[in-house]
Each structure stands twice: as C-alpha cells, then as structure tokens.
C-alpha cells in the first residue's frame, strides 16, 4: 500500500444521507480515546489530519477519507464516552448501526480495543453489531507500546476472550508511536482491494458474455 493522496471527502451527521460511493469502504470503530484517530493518521501518513481528540467523545460524525481515489477509510464515531448523556449515546449508536446496515460498499470493519484492558460491554456490543451485519471484525489491539513485550500474548488472549471471538479472528497489535502493526493493516487493505478488482473483472466478463449471447440470438432471428 502506497498512500498517494488523502482527502476528507464526506462528513455525515446523525441525520445525513450516506454517500453513494463507487469505491469500497473500510471502517474503523472503537471506544472514544482508544487511539482511532492516531491509527487513521498513521495509516494515512499524516500527523493530524484525522482529529486527535483533546476532548474525547467529540467526534459525532462519520468521516469518509478518500484514499488514492481507490477506497475510503471510514472513521466511525467513538462510542462509550462516559460524560455524554444517554440520549446522545443512543443517537451515535443508531448512526453507527444505520451505516453498518445501509452501506453497500463496506467491505471490512476494524474494531479497535486497547491492548491493556479487558473489552467493555460497549466493545462487545459493537463486536456483535458488526457480526450481525454480516462482517467479521478485524481486531486492532491499540497502544502496544504501553505494555512489555512479554505481556503481548497474554493481553491478546484477554482481548479475544473478552469479545468472544472465534479462533480464526485476526488480531493485530498496533502502536501509533512505533507504527508497529501498520504493514499488517496495509496488507489486509491490499487484499480487500485485490478481491474487489477480481470481482469487478468477473462481473465485466459475465456482462460481455451475456451481451455476446444476446447478439447471437438476434442474429439467429435474422437468419
Ligand atoms: P480516539 O479518541 O480513539 O481517536 O483516540 P486518539 O487517537 O485521539 O488517542 C487518544 C490518546 O491516546 C491520545 O492522547 C493519543 O496520543 C494516545 N494514543 C493513541 N494511540 C496511541 C499509541 O499507540 N501509543 C500511545 N502511547 N499513545 C497512544
């Protein structure tokens, strides 16, 4: 993955209609303060394009970053900010759910979990939402630099068990300080783009075949 261009193309609020994108979307979800903006900035090779929240929980929008005119990184609002009132929390939840449900171009959801902590009730809820919408979340265990090397395996296990993931769920330990884990995330994105290209090619071939058959039929009628 080479980042050539980055553009915050669409910002959606609670009542917005989501964009009808042609390119695929890859979404990022996580509790507020988990390090989502830092991860997105690291992936975009930018210092502060995605907002790093001085005030956690401020992000109430879904932001669509156009990457290379090839795909979108979709920044979902951080959930579970303790100081937000219940009504506001419910609205964020509904917006995230509506996006997961409605997006046609969404191909993968990365769910961010702090590697130091057992997943919260909201983390589990989010994991289940993503699953029930037909996506298998890819887990990014953030703030890797804050634990010792010797703790990594144990903490990854706690994250996995806390979410109740199945055996083949991918968990990528990541640090926005050291950028460890970045290449693994890029690799998944590359694979998703490759799969999409293959699918589009197959679709085009099928359309061409159908067109040829149609033409053949019409020619037969003339004979
Ligand atoms: P968001 O609310 O999920 O977007 O979280 P932010 O990206 O704004 O990060 C919240 C806080 O955690 C900020 O003070 C970041 O500097 C810090 N942070 C984020 N990622 C990392 C990381 O990988 N390592 C360390 N040490 N701090 C991080």
């Amino acid at each position: 993955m080479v980042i050539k261009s980055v553009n915050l193309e669409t910002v959606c609020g609670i009542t917005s209609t989501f964009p009808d994108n042609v390119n695929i979307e890859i979404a990022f979800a996580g509790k507020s303060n988990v390090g989502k903006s830092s991860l997105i900035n690291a992936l975009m090779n930018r210092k502060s394009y995605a907002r790093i929240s001085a005030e956690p929980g401020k992000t109430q929008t879904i932001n669509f970053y156009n990457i290379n005119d090839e795909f979108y990184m979709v920044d979902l609002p951080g959930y579970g900010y303790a100081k937000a009132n219940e009504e506001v929390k419910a609205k964020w939840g509904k917006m995230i759910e509506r996006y997961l449900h409605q997006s046609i171009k969404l191909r993968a959801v990365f769910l961010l979990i702090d590697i130091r902590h057992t997943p919260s009730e909201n983390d589990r809820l989010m994991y289940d939402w993503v699953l029930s919408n037909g996506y298998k979340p890819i887990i990014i265990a953030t703030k890797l630099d804050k634990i010792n090397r010797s703790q990594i395996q144990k903490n990854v296990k706690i994250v996995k068990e806390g979410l109740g993931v199945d055996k083949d769920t991918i968990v990528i330990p990541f640090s926005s300080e050291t950028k460890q884990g970045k290449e693994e995330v890029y690799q998944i994105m590359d694979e998703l783009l490759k799969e999409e290209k293959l699918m589009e090619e197959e679709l085009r071939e099928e359309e061409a075949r159908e067109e040829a058959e149609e033409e053949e039929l019409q020619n037969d009628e003339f004979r």
Side-chain angles (χ1 to χ4, degrees), residues 32-38 52-53 143 145-146 175-177:
S32 92
N33 221 33
V34 71
K36 188 157 53 62
S37 310
S38 304
I52 304 222
S53 39
K143 309 195 183 183
D145 57 285
K146 293 207 175 195
S175 164
S176 56
E177 292 286 312

Side-chain angles (χ1 to χ4, degrees), residues 17-195:
T17 308
F18 298 127
D20 195 9
N21 288 325
V22 172
N23 288 334
I24 65 164
E25 296 164 2
I26 298 171
F28 296 86
K31 193 167 132 181
S32 92
N33 221 33
V34 71
K36 188 157 53 62
S37 310
S38 304
L39 165 76
I40 293 173
N41 281 322
L43 293 172
M44 296 194 298
N45 293 332
R46 297 295 177 99
K47 274 215 159 63
S48 58
Y49 197 58
R51 285 153 298 182
I52 304 222
S53 39
E55 256 177 73
K58 234 174 67 175
T59 327
Q60 297 179 41
T61 52
I62 299 186
N63 297 350
F64 293 78
Y65 294 93
N66 182 340
I67 312 294
N68 298 346
D69 279 327
E70 267 185 318
F71 72 101
Y72 291 88
M73 289 191 201
V74 180
D75 187 1
L76 298 175
Y79 53 81
Y81 177 46
K83 279 191 192 158
N85 70 41
E86 289 307 316
E87 192 190 344
V88 172
K89 278 190 205 169
K91 278 188 182 158
W92 292 352
K94 285 226 167 67
M95 177 158 66
I96 295 175
E97 205 175 13
R98 188 164 65 90
Y99 171 71
L100 292 177
H101 192 67
Q102 287 181 1
S103 171
I104 295 168
K105 287 295 175 175
L106 180 63
R107 291 294 177 270
V109 180
F110 286 96
L111 176 60
L112 280 65
I113 307 284
D114 191 319
I115 199 162
R116 297 169 299 172
H117 308 307
T118 305
S120 68
E121 186 57 42
N122 279 324
D123 290 329
R124 276 194 294 275
L125 195 68
M126 189 69 215
Y127 180 82
D128 290 339
W129 267 356
V130 176
L131 260 191
S132 62
N133 278 285
Y135 302 94
K136 194 164 186 174
I138 302 154
I139 312 301
I140 299 187
T142 62
K143 309 195 183 183
L144 173 62
D145 57 285
K146 293 207 175 195
I147 61 170
N148 289 328
R149 223 172 230 273
S150 60
Q151 295 175 294
I152 299 173
Q153 284 312 317
K154 189 190 83 197
N155 286 35
V156 164
K157 193 163 171 245
I158 291 172
V159 168
K160 280 183 169 174
E161 285 175 358
L163 292 173
V165 303
D166 55 23
K167 261 201 307 214
D168 54 348
T169 297
I170 300 169
V171 179
I172 304 171
F174 177 85
S175 164
S176 56
E177 292 286 312
T178 66
K179 310 290 185 286
Q180 205 178 322
K182 188 171 149 177
E183 286 307 318
E184 284 91 329
V185 179
Y186 276 167
Q187 205 182 330
I188 290 176
M189 292 177 162
D190 281 333
E191 277 165 23
L192 289 166
L193 284 168
K194 209 168 106 189
E195 271 171 31

